[in-house]
Amino acid sequence: MLKRAILMGNEAIARGVVEAGCEVASAYPGTPSSEILPAIAHYADELGTSTQVEWGANEKVAYEIAIGATFAGKRGCAVMKQVGLDVAADPFMTSANFELNGGFIVVVADDPGCHASQTDQDCRYFAMYAKIPCFDPCDAREAKDMVFDAYEVSEKYRVVTMLRPTTRVDHGRQDVELGEVMRLENPAHFERKPYAGNIHFPARLDKESIPNRNERYRKMQEDFETAFPKYNYEVPAKGKASLGVIAGGICFSTIMDVLKGLGREDVSVLKIGTPVPLPLKMVEDFIDRHEKVIIFEETYPVIETQITNRNSVMGRWNGHVPMERELTIDVVRTYLLKALGEEEAPSVGAEELERAQKDLGLFVRPPRLCPGCGHRPSYASIRKAYPNAIVCSDIGCYSLSKQQNAIDTIISMGASITVASGMYLAHKADGKGTDRPIFATLGDSTFYHNGMTGLTTAVYNRHAFVLGIMDNSITAMTGGQDHPGSGSKMRKGEEGVIVPLEDAVKGCGVSYVRVVEAYELKNNVSVVREAWEYARTHEEPAVLIFRHPCLTKLKVRQEQHPVRVDQEKCIGCRYCIDFFNCPGLAFDEEKRKAYIDDRFCINCGVCVEICPHGAIIPVKEDEE
């Protein structure tokens, strides 16, 4: 009897990776992909495999670890989110020219709609760019099945192969068939060969490697026309079709739900699960058989771009499908009905929801740092010390300090340091390099990810700024994963080595390094001033490590220091609300007074130092 289980899409992918005989898997966490590697570790333990499962310090590291295993003949897997592939783009593009010795898949989770991302990029374009195959699943079951086919394609053509789930696939749940582990007889073996395929000098690329890659891609294009009928197939209309729909990946599941909800059987749907290389003959035959065709795919027009004649096609190129936004059920329904020449009836449910929200006084609350988060007082100490300082921030939980007006720039992981360098140089060009305090801030995991190179550069070039590392001892925003500073590993019985953060900083050449307790806001204001004074006078980076464990992920028991707002002293200036932005602090608009919201306050007591009028005071024992 077959075993089945309700799995999240990421869990289904992980199960497929283990069942497919992958022996080396590495990743860096990033929503929506974060659950995949821990699930690989879980299933490897459960099924008793020898799979090596490790976090890389960043995506480039993870990619190179996994592909290194393929050089020794093993099946490898690297996992990341879409912007992670940007970090790994260097080895990714280079390895696309290689002829691998073992199967290798890179799982890249795209995030249409930017639910947890700073870009809406479509990594199917990366597959086209590198001329490698890409599988685009429509649900959790198909994602698991595609893992096996991706490995087979990888080994058949000796090529990197991409599996590209999107957020709704990653985080959706479905009953999935559980299989046994493939026992592959492929002991690690590496044979040294002069001028082997693992070394590509420019002269060889032009004469051999690139022509070979192009020929390989041409063969894949031919094979993919018929190779995967379970992923590329037509769901015909009953009778004459009023419209043809081409749907890629998750959009197939969406359009089928929309058609079912509308009770429509007069629409033909062509499902595409292998957008790169695209089964072009199948697609163009479908287009030829329909008067009108609309294409739904996320996020960019990858399928659409490969079609040679789009005259009868409605898509992004002619404005029939929006160029932005996630293609949710509501969006797909709207544009499907427009393509059919019909008006969409107003949604009764939507009107009721809007009315209920208004009646209940509900409103959208912007995301903010958790109650008791050590990042909040860390930023407050910087702003109290230097209200006009330039604070270059980074990707992570501390991005939410925007709500307390604490930061000024965010680009990418590690960029806080390098942008601070640029800010310093810009002012230096005017002869005012140290006139205005400049700070960079990033988290402990982000520092290991991509901070050390920027800091080393800043030390080398004598850039005067203060780097504040917000050390909460975990990779918090993506779900609480470990990193080199924690030393923990995922597999049972495995222990890593802790790489102390302050040692890593000193290893970058930094002379001024101070570790402070993030909650000690009053003391840290003077430390911040001391650090900037050092950076300014020595013309080199100074580093402050603001340390306090993540209360949410590490479940730390917080020492209790309850507070209250003295209503007579409170003048309603909202400084505590706007400057500190803690969920435990609330404001009564009618009374124009701040108060403690006991639903969220964790009694950390840090906010006592915030109020400029001394209205937030400790609760005395006899008041409790």
Side-chain angles (χ1 to χ4, degrees):
M1 182 177 178
L2 293 175
K3 294 182 180 179
R4 304 186 74 86
I6 302 295
L7 299 182
M8 182 190 293
N10 281 342
E11 295 170 331
I13 291 169
R15 179 80 188 200
V17 169
V18 176
E19 287 182 12
C22 173
E23 291 192 78
V24 176
S26 189
Y28 183 82
T31 307
S33 72
S34 300
E35 298 86 0
I36 297 176
L37 198 71
I40 291 175
H42 168 77
Y43 290 124
D45 285 334
E46 182 181 279
L47 298 172
T49 70
S50 61
T51 314
Q52 304 299 299
V53 189
E54 296 184 349
W55 291 118
N58 64 24
E59 294 86 357
K60 178 178 184 292
V61 170
Y63 188 95
E64 291 163 348
I65 287 172
I67 205 163
T70 72
F71 290 169
K74 295 291 189 181
R75 283 189 168 182
C77 175
V79 182
M80 59 202 69
K81 69 180 294 182
Q82 89 280 15
V83 289
L85 188 55
D86 298 343
V87 178
D90 186 359
F92 169 74
M93 291 302 299
T94 301
S95 61
N97 293 317
F98 289 1
E99 293 182 353
L100 304 177
N101 296 326
F104 178 55
I105 62 173
V106 54
V107 182
V108 184
D110 276 355
D111 188 21
C114 298
H115 294 282
S117 305
Q118 64 269 41
T119 76
D120 67 343
Q121 71 193 56
D122 188 331
C123 287
R124 296 177 302 163
Y125 265 136
F126 256 121
M128 290 178 63
Y129 186 32
K131 296 185 178 179
I132 66 158
C134 174
F135 289 81
D136 191 11
C138 70
D139 56 29
R141 284 183 204 157
E142 189 169 77
K144 179 175 183 284
D145 291 342
M146 283 181 170
V147 169
F148 295 90
D149 288 303
Y151 272 121
E152 287 188 11
V153 167
S154 175
E155 289 169 347
K156 178 179 179 180
Y157 295 102
R158 302 180 67 184
V159 66
V160 177
T161 301
M162 182 184 293
L163 176 66
R164 182 256 189 182
T166 53
T167 301
R168 302 296 179 181
V169 173
D170 290 309
H171 293 161
R173 293 185 180 273
Q174 193 175 20
D175 64 312
V176 176
E177 184 179 313
L178 306 181
E180 300 298 323
V181 177
M182 296 175 64
R183 301 297 176 182
L184 305 176
E185 299 298 328
N186 58 335
H189 175 72
F190 183 79
E191 184 178 349
R192 296 195 67 218
K193 294 180 180 178
Y195 308 107
N198 305 322
I199 302 172
H200 286 204
F201 286 121
R204 185 184 177 198
L205 282 169
D206 188 49
K207 296 178 181 178
E208 183 179 346
S209 302
I210 293 175
N212 288 348
R213 181 200 64 187
N214 292 341
E215 177 61 19
R216 178 178 65 191
Y217 191 68
R218 187 192 63 78
K219 290 180 179 178
M220 284 191 291
Q221 285 178 311
E222 291 180 358
D223 288 352
F224 272 49
E225 286 289 348
T226 57
F228 298 106
K230 58 183 175 180
Y231 303 140
N232 304 317
Y233 57 84
E234 183 177 344
V235 180
K238 291 187 177 180
K240 180 176 174 58
S242 301
L243 179 70
V245 174
I246 299 174
I250 188 64
C251 290
F252 173 75
S253 298
T254 303
I255 191 66
M256 297 309 291
D257 285 346
V258 168
L259 292 174
K260 183 178 180 180
L262 294 172
R264 303 294 296 248
E265 297 182 337
D266 61 334
V267 175
S268 297
V269 180
L270 178 63
K271 178 189 180 302
I272 297 296
T274 61
V276 182
L278 181 69
L280 187 57
K281 293 177 182 178
M282 175 187 292
V283 170
E284 296 195 333
D285 173 71
F286 180 83
I287 293 171
D288 289 342
R289 290 186 285 106
H290 294 82
E291 291 182 11
K292 295 189 298 181
V293 173
I294 188 168
I295 300 179
F296 291 113
E297 57 179 324
E298 290 184 326
T299 304
Y300 298 164
V302 173
I303 294 172
E304 191 176 315
T305 299
Q306 296 177 76
I307 298 170
T308 56
N309 185 353
R310 298 198 296 268
N311 288 332
S312 61
V313 174
M314 292 175 283
R316 289 186 168 92
W317 76 282
N318 54 8
H320 286 277
V321 178
M323 287 296 293
E324 61 284 319
R325 296 163 54 192
E326 182 183 13
L327 296 183
T328 61
I329 281 183
D330 290 341
V331 173
V332 169
R333 183 194 299 113
T334 297
Y335 287 93
L336 175 73
L337 290 172
K338 282 185 178 181
L340 287 164
E342 300 176 13
E343 291 294 326
E344 183 175 13
S347 172
V348 176
E351 291 177 353
E352 290 178 345
L353 178 61
E354 185 177 347
R355 185 165 55 251
Q357 288 175 326
K358 186 176 181 180
D359 292 343
L360 293 170
L362 301 178
F363 58 93
V364 176
R365 296 179 183 271
R368 51 182 167 174
L369 295 168
C370 300
C373 178
H375 300 337
R376 184 178 288 107
S378 301
Y379 279 108
S381 65
I382 295 172
R383 282 298 178 202
K384 282 180 76 72
Y386 296 108
N388 194 40
I390 299 170
V391 181
C392 307
S393 191
D394 224 292
I395 304 297
C397 289
Y398 34 87
S399 303
L400 301 178
S401 61
K402 173 182 180 294
Q403 302 301 334
Q404 62 189 105
N405 196 27
I407 59 177
D408 300 306
T409 70
I410 296 177
I411 298 181
S412 59
M413 295 187 73
S416 58
I417 298 174
T418 42
V419 169
S421 288
M423 288 283 191
Y424 166 73
L425 292 173
H427 287 79
K428 185 180 179 182
D430 290 341
K432 300 177 180 180
T434 56
D435 282 13
R436 186 175 181 184
I438 299 172
F439 287 77
T441 60
L442 80 175
D444 45 335
S445 180
T446 306
F447 179 75
Y448 292 108
H449 177 283
N450 216 1
M452 288 187 277
T453 50
L455 183 57
T456 304
T457 301
V459 171
Y460 162 59
N461 287 301
R462 303 187 73 99
H463 297 160
F465 62 84
V466 178
L467 169 62
I469 302 179
M470 309 299 179
D471 181 8
N472 59 7
S473 305
I474 202 165
T475 313
M477 179 166 264
T478 52
Q481 297 82 10
D482 292 302
H483 58 64
S486 70
S488 299
K489 298 189 69 176
M490 288 172 287
R491 294 296 303 275
K492 292 179 180 178
E494 291 187 352
E495 292 185 10
V497 175
I498 294 175
V499 180
L501 189 55
E502 43 269 60
D503 290 356
V505 171
K506 291 175 183 176
C508 293
V510 177
S511 299
Y512 182 102
V513 184
R514 289 280 302 273
V515 180
V516 298
E517 164 53 54
Y519 272 16
E520 295 179 2
L521 195 158
K522 186 175 182 180
N523 177 67
N524 290 344
V525 171
S526 61
V527 175
V528 166
R529 289 174 178 151
E530 177 189 293
W532 168 246
E533 188 63 22
Y534 179 91
R536 185 183 69 80
T537 56
H538 289 76
E539 292 192 328
E540 62 183 63
V543 175
L544 294 177
I545 300 173
F546 295 93
R547 184 164 286 162
H548 196 82
C550 176
L551 304 185
T552 302
K553 296 300 179 183
L554 295 177
K555 308 300 181 186
V556 174
R557 290 181 62 85
Q558 184 61 46
E559 188 175 333
Q560 297 293 286
H561 299 285
V563 300
R564 67 180 178 87
V565 177
D566 187 326
Q567 296 296 297
E568 292 184 3
K569 291 184 178 179
C570 178
I571 67 168
C573 67
R574 292 185 57 91
Y575 185 82
C576 61
I577 304 297
D578 299 331
F579 179 76
F580 205 55
N581 198 241
C582 179
L585 289 165
F587 194 77
D588 188 325
E589 294 290 350
E590 188 174 314
K591 295 180 179 178
R592 303 299 300 172
K593 300 283 186 179
Y595 67 94
I596 303 299
D597 191 335
D598 294 327
R599 296 174 301 169
F600 304 112
C601 179
I602 67 162
N603 298 321
C604 68
V606 178
C607 58
V608 169
E609 301 294 337
I610 289 300
C611 180
H613 307 287
I616 303 175
I617 58 176
V619 174
K620 298 178 182 178
E621 289 186 12
D622 58 353
E623 293 179 316
E624 295 182 12

